[in-house]
Amino acid sequence: MAQYIVGNWKMNGTKAEAEALAFTLAAKAKDVSGPLPHVVLCPSYPYLVPVLKILEGSTLESGAQDCSPEANGAFTGDVSVSQLSNIGCTYVIVGHSERRHHHLEPNALIRQKAEAVIRGKLKPIICIGETEEEYRAGKCFSVLSEKLEACLPSSCVHSDILIAYEPVWAIGTGLTPSLEEVEKVMSFLKERLRTHIPEGDLVPTLYGGSVNAANARLFLTLPYVDGLLVGGASLRADDFWHIIMATERQEP
Ligand code: PGA
């Protein structure tokens, strides 16, 4: 399965910085002769258009960090999937823990967003993860199972979606679960996906949370890890490029 490296730039940087980052990555990608993983850059809304312009003719793609579940109309401040599709976006992150926390987004809304993304022929990257409290209480698997079931779009096929496992306590903290824990969770998610979706184990499952240039390869070589969702390290061209190069395409 092709691997995915997704950069979530969050609410960072200026237009010039976003353009410079996209430009550097696109230039590096052009110099690669072999296949690259799917690389998806997710800048803030105002920088999507300039970043997409720079990515024209490149294999790098772009995604939004969120979307509205609504098609159009009086929804001040929101952005629809058709608007994202219209400018050339191909992915949308939904259910990121920062949206769940700061905007109190419930699973039902995240599911509606994911369904809207699929209707618009884009791909949702659906994020799920346990909090530190849930992790400590040994509830990781039950929480993930519940969130997955509640967020999965109805009647989707395996090629419609991506799932990102992001432990909330690992995001931006420098902490990560052990490799063994990640492998167990990812294997569990594949098994749960199989019960919900025909050939559900073919849904790409990404790990996210304090991924950096030094640990990326360790996660990427684990079974059931089909890619990475990267926050902080995706803002540094050299680090993010290192992470892209850590995918299996580099295997001897
Ligand atoms: P981080 O963020 O890599 O900075 O931990 C990951 C994310 O929020 O997607």
Side-chain angles (χ1 to χ4, degrees):
M1 186 188 296
Q3 291 184 308
Y4 290 80
I5 302 293
V6 182
N8 176 9
W9 295 358
K10 308 192 182 184
M11 198 173 70
N12 287 300
T14 62
K15 176 168 172 273
E17 284 165 348
E19 286 173 333
L21 190 48
F23 184 84
T24 306
L25 294 167
K28 283 179 184 286
K30 226 178 193 162
D31 286 343
V32 175
S33 50
L36 279 173
H38 294 280
V39 178
V40 183
L41 308 183
C42 303
S44 335
Y45 289 134
Y47 307 150
L48 276 167
V49 170
V51 162
L52 275 157
K53 197 164 171 49
I54 287 164
L55 298 186
E56 264 170 31
S58 148
T59 56
L60 274 49
E61 295 177 87
S62 183
Q65 298 173 15
D66 186 39
C67 67
S68 169
E70 304 293 339
N72 54 54
F75 299 98
T76 303
D78 287 344
V79 175
S80 73
V81 175
S82 64
Q83 290 174 322
L84 295 171
S85 162
N86 186 233
I87 59 167
C89 259
T90 36
Y91 294 84
V92 185
I93 298 171
V94 297
H96 190 280
S97 74
E98 286 149 16
R99 302 281 326 163
R100 292 176 187 264
H101 180 70
H102 298 300
H103 299 269
L104 307 178
E105 291 196 4
N107 289 327
L109 175 63
I110 292 157
R111 178 193 198 134
Q112 286 170 17
K113 290 184 178 192
E115 288 172 347
V117 176
I118 295 171
R119 271 198 306 279
K121 309 251 180 298
L122 274 61
K123 284 198 182 188
I125 302 168
I126 304 168
C127 302
I128 54 172
E130 81 285 359
T131 63
E132 184 175 4
E133 202 185 344
E134 290 162 343
Y135 174 76
R136 286 186 191 281
K139 291 185 182 157
C140 175
F141 290 87
S142 58
V143 166
L144 289 175
S145 179
E146 195 187 305
K147 283 193 178 162
L148 183 69
E149 193 168 333
C151 295
L152 271 186
S154 56
S155 71
C156 67
V157 297
H158 66 76
S159 54
D160 282 341
I161 61 167
L162 288 81
I163 298 291
Y165 166 53
E166 295 206 303
V168 179
W169 53 272
I171 296 176
T173 58
L175 302 171
T176 63
S178 69
L179 295 176
E180 198 187 354
E181 285 173 316
V182 173
E183 183 177 338
K184 273 194 189 141
V185 167
M186 300 309 251
S187 154
F188 174 74
L189 290 179
K190 290 283 190 190
E191 186 268 312
R192 296 313 301 151
L193 284 162
R194 250 197 322 269
T195 67
H196 292 297
I197 302 174
E199 296 182 277
D201 49 328
L202 295 179
V203 171
T205 45
L206 280 50
Y207 169 76
S210 293
V211 171
N212 57 40
N215 64 20
R217 193 170 172 79
L218 300 173
F219 291 120
L220 284 167
T221 46
L222 290 176
Y224 318 114
V225 174
D226 303 314
L228 301 170
L229 177 51
V230 188
S234 72
L235 292 166
R236 298 182 293 273
D238 285 349
D239 286 1
F240 194 58
W241 185 252
H242 199 93
I243 294 169
I244 293 167
M245 290 292 103
T247 52
E248 67 187 8
R249 59 170 301 284
Q250 292 298 295
E251 221 105 85

